[in-house]
Amino acid sequence: MPATKEIKCTSDDCELDMFENHYTYDIADDHTVADLSCPLCGGTDCLDEIEL
């Protein structure tokens, strides 16, 4: 089954607290949360993966 990651935005100016990113089987092995941007504020250095 493809990976799912829960990610939070840590920017004080952003109203988004958490989102899920669902991957396909074709995701590159070196893909990380650092490759993403917040879907609400657009920030790239404010995202952290939520470890379960």
Side-chain angles (χ1 to χ4, degrees):
M1 183 156 210
T4 299
K5 291 185 179 178
E6 292 183 344
I7 303 164
K8 63 181 175 180
C9 183
T10 58
S11 172
D12 292 334
D13 297 328
C14 186
E15 297 294 321
L16 182 69
D17 61 348
M18 175 273 223
F19 65 96
E20 289 185 346
N21 206 37
H22 299 266
Y23 296 95
T24 67
Y25 289 106
D26 297 331
I27 191 72
D29 291 335
D30 61 348
H31 178 78
T32 66
V33 172
D35 297 318
L36 303 174
S37 61
C38 177
L40 187 60
C41 72
T44 57
D45 60 345
C46 56
L47 298 178
D48 288 326
E49 183 175 352
I50 299 171
E51 301 290 333
L52 299 175

